[in-house]
Amino acid sequence: MVVAEDPKVAALAASRSLNPHPEKVTDEVFLASPFCDPRDVVQVKYEMVRRVRVDKIPVARAARAFGYCRQAFYEIAAALDAGGPAALAPGKPGPKGPTKLTVPVMAAIDDWLTIDTSLTSKDLAGRVLEEFGFTVHPRSIERALSRRREAETPAAEEPITRGSPGR
């Protein structure tokens, strides 16, 4: 027997907003509302902060009732204050920037290429190993240089059209 997946669960999972522990949400007011869904982590976080700020319940009690600790409450409240409800959605997983081809390494690569334009990515990888003490794949250097060239090239301007498209 094949069970169809709940479309809301699929949407929450796709947006990384699926609460991994909805069973930890025990707040009676939250659970009594047909609008509130403990599977939606953004809604859970928002309502936790709202319960403290509007309904004036203690932070420790609210945090516990929504499945968080006090420290997490303060972090969530600060994120909400800084970026609104969108800041409550979990960020993209994985590295947030380069780990090897950092700004100083890319600056050195640029300097080497300025001095000798005939250097290959394999040559540059060897120089990175000599200068910085770690290996980097030549293809990674090629991709980093390509991304930099794309960022420096201004996009062609779109022509201005009059009227509605499709007329």
Side-chain angles (χ1 to χ4, degrees):
M1 177 179 179
V2 176
V3 178
E5 186 175 336
D6 182 346
K8 183 171 184 181
V9 170
L12 289 171
S15 67
R16 294 183 303 279
S17 296
L18 183 63
N19 188 353
H21 301 288
E23 72 282 355
K24 289 184 178 181
V25 178
T26 59
D27 184 80
E28 292 175 5
V29 173
F30 183 86
L31 294 174
S33 171
F35 173 75
C36 296
D37 187 349
R39 299 173 300 176
D40 185 342
V41 75
V42 173
Q43 190 178 55
V44 168
K45 290 176 179 180
Y46 181 86
E47 284 298 313
M48 175 177 63
V49 175
R50 191 198 67 75
R51 292 276 284 139
V52 169
R53 292 182 175 171
V54 176
D55 297 344
K56 306 294 185 200
I57 68 168
V59 170
R61 189 171 119 206
R64 192 171 40 256
F66 284 89
Y68 290 95
C69 64
R70 281 181 45 247
Q71 180 61 36
F73 169 85
Y74 291 114
E75 292 169 4
I76 291 165
L80 180 63
D81 292 341
L88 300 180
K92 184 178 177 186
K96 305 301 183 250
T99 56
K100 289 186 176 182
L101 294 176
T102 59
V103 172
V105 175
M106 289 306 295
I109 289 173
D110 288 338
D111 291 344
W112 298 329
L113 286 173
T114 301
I115 295 167
D116 184 357
T117 57
S118 67
L119 289 172
T120 66
S121 58
K122 188 173 180 180
D123 298 331
L124 294 169
R127 288 195 178 191
V128 168
L129 178 60
E130 290 173 18
E131 180 84 16
F132 295 97
F134 59 83
T135 61
V136 62
H137 197 279
R139 182 66 185 121
S140 296
I141 294 172
E142 292 170 11
R143 285 193 305 266
L145 290 171
S146 176
R147 280 191 301 271
R148 183 173 281 176
R149 273 186 243 114
E150 289 172 7
E152 291 172 355
T153 306
E157 289 193 27
E158 294 289 323
I160 298 174
T161 58
R162 299 191 189 273
S164 302
R167 279 193 186 178

